[in-house]
Amino acid sequence: MTTGPTAARAGPWRIGALAALTGATPKALRLYEAEGLLPAPRRQGTYRVYDALHLDTVRLIRTAQALGFSLRELKALAGQARLVDVVPLGLARDAVRRKREARGVQIARLQALEAGLAAVERELDDAHQTACLCPSSTPAAPGEPRT
């Protein structure tokens, strides 16, 4: 058995070992295969046996998912061929650009929501001050007169 830094690239692996190397579950690996994102592995009896191409493909899928890409979007990029082979640089860059633009819109919405919440919080503080004519919003300790 190979050990050290190249052990992860040595392969072949059964589904559990590939799952451990990539952080995907065996169920997810079977889904990637069923969706056509992961090439069908060779078989040793009833066991699936994966190689470095599978490792690279799963890592690409997991990285893309972590960045917000759905399996549907990845499938559209891959078409009918292997994901690691067919995604042209221009197409991949366009997908990344669109994803960044969508995230920018989400960030702007969240910033506007945060600003709105801060404004409501200020209005509540102002209304409280006006209603009780309190110099501060700190309540007096029990038994002490309010100032």
Side-chain angles (χ1 to χ4, degrees), residues 23-77:
T25 64
K27 184 177 180 179
L29 295 175
R30 288 188 287 272
L31 174 65
Y32 301 159
E33 184 182 339
E35 291 292 326
L37 292 169
L38 188 63
R42 66 183 174 85
R43 298 273 183 162
Q44 277 183 345
T46 59
Y47 294 104
R48 289 173 164 91
V49 180
Y50 299 92
D51 58 26
L53 171 67
H54 297 99
L55 177 67
D56 291 342
T57 303
V58 174
R59 285 182 172 164
L60 175 63
I61 292 167
R62 301 280 294 167
T63 299
Q65 285 183 306
L67 295 172
F69 286 90
S70 67
L71 292 181
R72 179 179 293 164
E73 289 170 315
L74 294 176
K75 241 178 118 171
L77 284 173

Side-chain angles (χ1 to χ4, degrees), residues 67-70 72-78 87-107:
L67 295 172
F69 286 90
S70 67
R72 179 179 293 164
E73 289 170 315
L74 294 176
K75 241 178 118 171
L77 284 173
V87 180
L89 181 59
L91 188 59
R93 284 178 183 256
D94 287 346
V96 169
R97 181 189 46 76
R98 286 191 306 275
K99 188 60 68 176
R100 289 182 77 187
E101 288 172 357
R103 292 297 174 256
V105 168
Q106 289 175 328
I107 289 169

Side-chain angles (χ1 to χ4, degrees), residues 138-145:
T138 307
E144 290 185 16

